[in-house]
Amino acid sequence: MLSLHAAETRRKRGQPPKIGLAIAGGGPIGAMYELGALRALDEACDGLDLTRLDCYVGVSSGAFFAAGLANRMDTAELCRIFISGDSQDVTFRPETFLRPALLEYMRRAASIPKLTARLTRDFWFGHGDSRWSDLVNRLGGLVPTGLFDNAEVERFLRGVFTHGGRTNNFRKLDSALYVISVDLDSGEAVRFGDKDWDDVPISQAVQASAALPGLYPPVKMLDKSGRVRHFVDGALRRTMHASIVLDRGVDLMLGINPLVPFNPGNDAQEVAQAHRFSHRRIADGGLPGVLSQTLRTMLQSRMQVGLARYATQYPDIDQLVFEPNSDNRELFYTNVFSFSARRRISQLAYRNTLADLRKRRDVLEPILAVHGIKLRADVIADKPRSILAHLPPSQRRTETTARLGRALDEIEHRLGLARGMV
């Protein structure tokens, strides 16, 4: 599903158009959907280089892809890392993201004797307005703040961004990158990569942005004044934080939001199909289904309100936001925190995005042409196209050859700009 706002007026520039990318969160499944959509855009759009945009904004799971693209990791390499698993550069293991937070469990358990003694004393002497409510409130302190250890996530990201010619430093990137998180104590959004927060390693910023409460514990950092801050998932404030891209004065904003509420429609034939994604009523799936639909509805409705406002607030910017189709049962009934379905979900996103480009081709082509982008007719017309079938072969590179390759690529790009070819 493509949400499109065409600019009413466009700026006159004597230089190439500026393009920005905003990627929302959505857990592991949302991340795989985003990757499929990014790969489809990369293949279908001539003149669009997702590794050389002017601005990137990433929230939660989308923050890693924003950081990777800003680090010149193309979509083919990202697919080899997370989908096919044949990258010669990075080894991805799903269990890295799902390791129990044992230290957090032990820290909470260590407080049991002290809490038990205090509760016993207070109950014995009749302290507290309501013994049962007081008990529930105090026992809440024993519950871990997260199930999984996101320190492992940070270590993985640090390894990715500190070799192969990449950088873990916001200040050393060629393009602006903003990773969004929320200060747990104040509820305020923080933009890592901004001048007040550009000293934080990119890996730690992504760790904080993806610290979904309940799944991962808050990430503790010191600000420049030495004050302890705790950060959680950036989606708590806004879904995509697209306004950050729009405020950068871009001409075209691309957005990807992988979570939308499920709407099964009234297709009786589809309902009658006997497969594991054919539940008619969401409530039949119990609490997980209800919570998933609630979260998706909240995130998308909030984003739609923002996009409606942006259409009038930024009338000179073309805005394209790609989302899943609301009637897709398979996407809704797949565990949002599972990596096992990553090939299937990325393929679904890949074909959905190509279908959006195909259906809206007549409207999109003149808009994209303004920004030097042309749709590849052979790609968008290929309905059974596979995301893995067209990946270029993986190449093994040493640190030296990786840095040399990046340097040569940069020279070639600058020469192309000078000749008016890029």
Side-chain angles (χ1 to χ4, degrees), residues 56-269:
Y56 300 86
V57 173
V59 184
S60 192
S61 58
F64 174 77
F65 294 127
L69 292 169
N71 252 299
R72 304 283 170 80
M73 299 177 72
D74 62 23
T75 59
E77 178 61 17
L78 292 171
C79 285
R80 286 193 291 264
I81 294 172
F82 291 103
I83 303 176
S84 64
D86 61 351
S87 170
Q88 301 292 327
D89 188 28
V90 178
T91 300
F92 167 67
R93 295 184 177 87
E95 58 269 20
T96 299
F97 290 72
L98 300 173
R99 292 184 180 179
L102 297 178
L103 290 178
E104 171 71 1
Y105 299 163
M106 293 170 62
R107 186 174 70 84
R108 297 287 171 173
S111 63
I112 291 177
K114 184 184 293 187
L115 177 61
T116 301
R118 186 181 303 166
L119 286 173
T120 302
R121 183 180 64 252
D122 289 349
F123 287 164
W124 182 264
F125 291 104
H127 296 166
D129 296 331
S130 173
R131 294 185 178 184
W132 285 111
S133 62
D134 191 48
L135 175 63
V136 172
N137 186 50
R138 295 195 186 191
L139 288 178
L142 299 178
V143 179
T145 55
L147 295 175
F148 303 111
D149 183 9
N150 51 6
E152 292 295 323
V153 176
E154 193 279 330
R155 277 191 282 271
F156 169 78
L157 297 174
R158 192 192 326 149
V160 172
F161 296 139
T162 53
H163 79 282
R166 297 181 284 270
T167 180
N168 203 26
N169 189 331
F170 282 100
R171 299 167 180 169
K172 293 184 178 181
L173 293 171
D174 294 325
S175 301
L177 168 66
Y178 300 102
V179 173
I180 314 303
S181 187
V182 170
D183 185 324
L184 182 61
D185 296 312
S186 68
E188 297 176 350
V190 172
R191 296 190 296 187
F192 293 109
D194 215 344
K195 61 181 181 179
D196 294 328
W197 289 99
D198 60 358
D199 58 335
V200 173
I202 295 173
S203 57
Q204 192 174 21
V206 176
Q207 175 196 18
S209 182
L212 180 64
L215 189 68
Y216 293 116
V219 176
K220 184 169 68 174
M221 298 185 200
L222 295 178
D223 61 19
K224 291 186 176 180
S225 66
R227 185 162 61 99
V228 175
R229 308 277 288 271
H230 292 86
F231 294 100
V232 293
D233 197 303
L236 296 186
R237 286 289 297 186
R238 293 183 184 177
T239 302
M240 199 164 58
H241 292 265
S243 61
I244 298 175
V245 172
L246 298 169
D247 285 335
R248 294 280 302 183
V250 299
D251 302 290
L252 171 64
M253 190 275 289
L254 301 174
I256 300 177
N257 172 42
L259 293 184
V260 299
F262 175 51
N263 183 358
N266 298 309
D267 192 334
Q269 182 177 0

Side-chain angles (χ1 to χ4, degrees), residues 219-373:
V219 176
K220 184 169 68 174
M221 298 185 200
L222 295 178
D223 61 19
K224 291 186 176 180
S225 66
R227 185 162 61 99
V228 175
R229 308 277 288 271
H230 292 86
F231 294 100
V232 293
D233 197 303
L236 296 186
R237 286 289 297 186
R238 293 183 184 177
T239 302
M240 199 164 58
H241 292 265
S243 61
I244 298 175
V245 172
L246 298 169
D247 285 335
R248 294 280 302 183
V250 299
D251 302 290
L252 171 64
M253 190 275 289
L254 301 174
I256 300 177
N257 172 42
L259 293 184
V260 299
F262 175 51
N263 183 358
N266 298 309
D267 192 334
Q269 182 177 0
E270 181 184 11
V271 173
Q273 291 178 351
H275 57 72
R276 61 194 179 109
F277 301 118
S278 63
H279 300 290
R280 178 56 179 150
R281 290 181 173 81
I282 291 173
D284 293 342
L287 182 61
V290 173
L291 291 178
S292 177
Q293 182 76 335
T294 301
L295 176 65
R296 291 164 182 267
T297 302
M298 179 185 69
L299 291 176
Q300 194 202 38
S301 63
R302 190 170 57 181
M303 189 190 71
Q304 288 176 335
V305 170
L307 291 177
R309 186 174 69 251
Y310 298 153
T312 55
Q313 190 175 352
Y314 305 93
D316 53 352
I317 300 176
D318 291 308
Q319 303 171 40
L320 279 67
V321 178
F322 294 86
E323 297 179 302
N325 298 322
S326 60
D327 61 352
N328 193 283
R329 296 175 177 275
E330 183 174 5
L331 185 62
F332 181 79
Y333 286 107
T334 298
N335 182 358
V336 72
F337 300 119
S338 170
F339 284 102
S340 61
R342 58 186 184 275
R343 289 197 180 195
R344 175 164 46 82
I345 297 302
S346 59
Q347 175 68 17
L348 173 67
Y350 180 77
R351 289 187 178 174
N352 277 356
T353 305
L354 291 179
D356 285 336
L357 296 175
R358 184 167 57 248
K359 293 173 185 175
R360 305 290 292 276
R361 179 180 178 180
D362 292 344
V363 178
L364 283 171
E365 282 190 322
I367 295 174
L368 294 176
V370 173
H371 307 289
I373 301 170

